[in-house]
């Protein structure tokens, strides 16, 4: 009895309503995982590769998919099937080069020559700059120095010695690609690989430029001004257009990404657009209220403390936080935790006045003594009553 085939949608791990791109991604993943070249001698992987390939061959074709959705596997089983393929064994007649070209191209390192010879943007460069907390809040201008490549003035970027030019690559015949055949489960398959000698350009430099040694570029140190915007946070980057690696074949330069490293501040801490800090207040200011000076990124400001303020009370200074990167006129707030400072080093006069203050506000200094005295009285009363009832 023949082994029953699994549902094609189940094989690829997709829903029945999956679109073409979803099918391709699902098959691409399975093909790379179970391809025989990646699993030499593994019969299980080979079977799974064949199963996934069969499923994709049917579901990627609109007509065959419609037949499969209507009749299931019976649409392609045997000579009486509506598809007339006689099962997976007869799929060797199909054009697998077109069907799996993009997948096999990735597996075997192939790339189109158009991507190699057309204009390509240069790679982005990354560097870092350290700034202070205040510079991050209000923005600043920084000058950085780094090594950049520019087109060689002698060869004009060709890499060739002046008076010479590039020649056609002998390995690929100027095509930039090498076509080779490989035996697969589907028979003989033609594959395309980027030429390893010319790297897909189809051309070689016979006589290299003596200044750039055939690279077409000269590296030199340059100073670049960087405008750091107000409100930038630690780890964020400023993009400077066209200051990266040079492009190839007439392509534009890449960009320069300058990441900021914000130094810690001894007083302020940042959370998004808000700033957090602490401020000391005296015992008298906490009890009676009064004006105190609080440090902000804008300088010192006066804040009126309410009478009876307790330690760890948090107050809000509206608009004293960090500006928004999108709108510098919009700022966060500063949250200040007030810490009541206990006086130290009191002279005799201050101590006496503090005792008088304590006596008038609850006599906390003598609380324990009063409590022990009252406890002794209660104990004495209890003993007296006990003696009366003997």
């Amino acid at each position: 009895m023949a082994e029953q085939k699994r549902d094609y949608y189940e094989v690829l791990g997709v829903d029945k309503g999956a679109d073409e791109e979803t099918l391709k991604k699902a098959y691409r993943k399975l093909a790379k995982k179970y391809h025989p070249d990646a699993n030499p001698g593994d019969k299980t992987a080979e079977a799974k590769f064949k199963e996934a390939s069969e499923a994709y061959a049917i579901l990627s074709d609109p007509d065959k998919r419609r037949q499969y959705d209507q009749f299931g596997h019976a649409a392609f089983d045997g000579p009486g099937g509506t598809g007339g393929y006689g099962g997976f064994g007869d799929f060797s007649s199909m054009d697998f080069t077109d069907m799996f070209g993009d997948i096999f191209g990735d597996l075997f390192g192939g790339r189109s020559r158009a991507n190699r010879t057309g204009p390509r943007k240069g790679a982005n460069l990354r560097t870092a700059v350290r700034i202070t907390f205040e510079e991050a809040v209000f923005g600043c201008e920084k000058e950085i120095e780094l090594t950049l490549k520019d087109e060689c003035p002698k060869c004009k970027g060709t890499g060739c010695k002046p008076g010479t030019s590039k020649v056609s690559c002998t390995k690929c015949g100027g095509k930039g690609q090498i076509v080779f055949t490989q035996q697969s489960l589907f028979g003989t398959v033609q594959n395309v690989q980027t030429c390893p000698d010319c790297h897909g350009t189809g051309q070689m430099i016979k006589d290299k430029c003596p200044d750039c040694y055939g690279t077409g570029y000269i590296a030199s140190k340059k100073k670049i001004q960087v405008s750091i915007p107000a409100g930038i946070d630690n780890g964020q980057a400023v993009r400077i257009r066209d200051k990266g690696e040079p492009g190839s074949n007439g392509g534009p330069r890449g960009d320069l990404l300058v990441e900021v490293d914000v130094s810690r501040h001894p007083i302020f801490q940042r959370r998004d657009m808000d700033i957090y800090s602490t401020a000391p207040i005296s015992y008298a200011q906490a009890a009676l209220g009064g004006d105190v000076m609080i440090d902000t990124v804008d300088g010192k400001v006066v804040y009126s403390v309410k009478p009876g303020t307790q330690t760890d009370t948090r107050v809000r200074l509206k608009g004293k936080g960090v500006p928004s990167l999108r709108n510098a006129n919009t700022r966060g707030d500063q949250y200040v935790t007030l810490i009541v400072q206990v006086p130290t080093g009191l002279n005799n006069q201050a101590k006496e006045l503090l005792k008088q203050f304590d006596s008038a506000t609850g006599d906390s200094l003598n609380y324990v003594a009063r409590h022990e005295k009252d406890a002794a009285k209660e104990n004495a009363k209890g003993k007296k009553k006990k003696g009366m009832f003997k």
Side-chain angles (χ1 to χ4, degrees):
M1 182 176 179
E3 184 180 353
Q4 187 176 0
K5 293 182 179 180
R6 285 202 301 158
D7 179 78
Y8 286 149
Y9 293 101
E10 179 186 344
V11 170
L12 295 181
V14 297
D15 297 329
K16 287 192 174 182
D19 56 19
E20 183 180 349
E21 186 61 27
T22 303
L23 289 172
K24 182 179 289 187
K25 287 182 179 179
Y27 175 66
R28 188 187 190 94
K29 182 178 179 180
L30 293 171
K32 287 185 176 182
K33 182 177 180 180
Y34 296 116
H35 193 278
D37 286 353
N39 303 273
D42 189 337
K43 296 298 182 182
T44 301
E46 180 180 330
K48 288 183 177 293
F49 180 74
K50 290 171 63 178
E51 184 183 42
S53 299
E54 178 179 348
Y56 182 70
I58 293 298
L59 299 182
S60 62
D61 186 296
D63 291 334
K64 298 183 183 67
R65 183 175 182 177
R66 186 175 62 255
Q67 295 175 46
Y68 176 74
D69 289 342
Q70 185 175 0
F71 300 106
H73 292 295
F76 310 101
D77 288 342
T82 58
Y85 286 100
F88 182 72
D90 290 337
F91 274 81
S92 57
S93 61
M94 298 178 64
D95 187 357
F96 288 102
T97 302
D98 292 338
M99 177 178 163
F100 306 122
D102 60 333
I103 297 172
F104 287 160
D106 283 348
L107 289 173
F108 301 122
R111 292 181 180 271
S112 67
R113 186 186 174 196
N115 292 336
R116 293 288 185 174
T117 59
R120 297 178 64 191
K121 184 177 180 178
N124 291 337
L125 291 177
R126 279 188 171 272
T127 189
V129 62
R130 180 177 287 273
I131 61 176
T132 66
F133 188 91
E134 289 83 1
E135 287 174 333
V137 173
F138 297 112
C140 61
E141 294 290 327
K142 288 290 182 180
E143 184 179 76
I144 59 175
E145 186 178 73
L146 70 162
T147 302
L148 293 178
K149 294 179 182 177
D150 288 305
E151 183 181 276
C152 175
K154 177 166 283 189
C155 67
K156 308 300 181 185
T158 65
C160 300
K161 182 180 179 181
T164 66
S165 59
K166 294 181 179 180
V167 297
S168 179
C169 176
T170 56
K171 190 174 187 68
C172 65
K175 296 179 180 179
Q177 297 173 334
I178 298 175
V179 179
F180 63 95
T181 58
Q182 185 176 23
Q183 293 296 324
S184 73
L185 298 173
F186 317 114
T188 301
V189 179
Q190 282 193 335
N191 292 284
V192 179
Q193 186 179 34
T194 301
C195 177
D197 288 5
C198 66
H199 305 291
T201 64
Q203 295 180 315
M204 299 285 290
I205 299 176
K206 186 177 181 180
D207 297 314
K208 296 181 180 180
C209 172
D211 286 8
C212 66
Y213 304 102
T215 63
Y217 304 108
I218 297 291
S220 61
K221 287 188 176 181
K222 291 189 175 182
K223 293 182 178 180
I224 297 177
Q225 289 293 126
V226 184
S227 295
I228 308 295
I232 197 166
D233 205 352
N234 185 60
Q236 293 181 321
V238 177
R239 182 183 294 270
I240 304 178
R241 302 288 181 183
D242 303 326
K243 291 298 182 181
E245 294 282 0
S248 59
N249 302 318
R253 295 185 73 105
D255 302 329
L256 173 62
L257 303 177
V258 183
E259 183 177 316
V260 297
D261 182 6
V262 182
S263 300
R264 288 181 175 271
H265 196 279
I267 299 176
F268 306 125
Q269 290 184 334
R270 175 177 175 175
R271 189 181 304 162
D272 297 327
M273 291 174 57
D274 296 326
I275 293 175
Y276 292 80
S277 65
T278 60
I281 60 174
S282 69
Y283 181 79
Q285 289 171 324
L288 304 177
D291 293 339
V292 297
M293 300 292 289
I294 295 179
D295 290 313
T296 73
V297 291
D298 296 309
K300 293 183 180 294
V301 298
V302 177
Y303 180 81
S304 296
V305 176
K306 295 179 180 179
T309 295
Q310 303 298 309
T311 192
D312 288 337
T313 296
R314 178 175 286 181
V315 299
R316 174 190 178 197
L317 302 181
K318 189 175 181 180
K320 293 299 181 182
V322 180
S324 168
L325 272 174
R326 297 182 179 179
N327 183 2
N329 295 322
T330 301
R331 291 182 63 174
D333 303 321
Q334 180 173 342
Y335 293 90
V336 184
T337 301
L338 302 177
I339 307 296
V340 178
Q341 300 291 294
V342 178
T344 59
L346 298 177
N347 57 29
N348 291 332
Q349 181 183 6
K351 289 179 181 179
E352 186 60 33
L353 290 173
L354 192 56
K355 288 179 181 178
Q356 294 177 22
F357 167 81
D358 181 69
S359 178
T361 57
D363 197 21
S364 63
L365 294 174
N366 296 311
Y367 172 78
V368 174
R370 291 200 317 272
H371 177 74
E372 291 177 343
K373 184 177 181 181
D374 292 341
K377 286 182 180 180
E378 290 295 325
N379 188 36
K381 287 181 180 180
K383 289 181 179 180
K384 184 176 182 180
K385 287 183 179 180
K386 186 175 180 181
M388 291 174 62
F389 292 101
K390 283 184 177 180

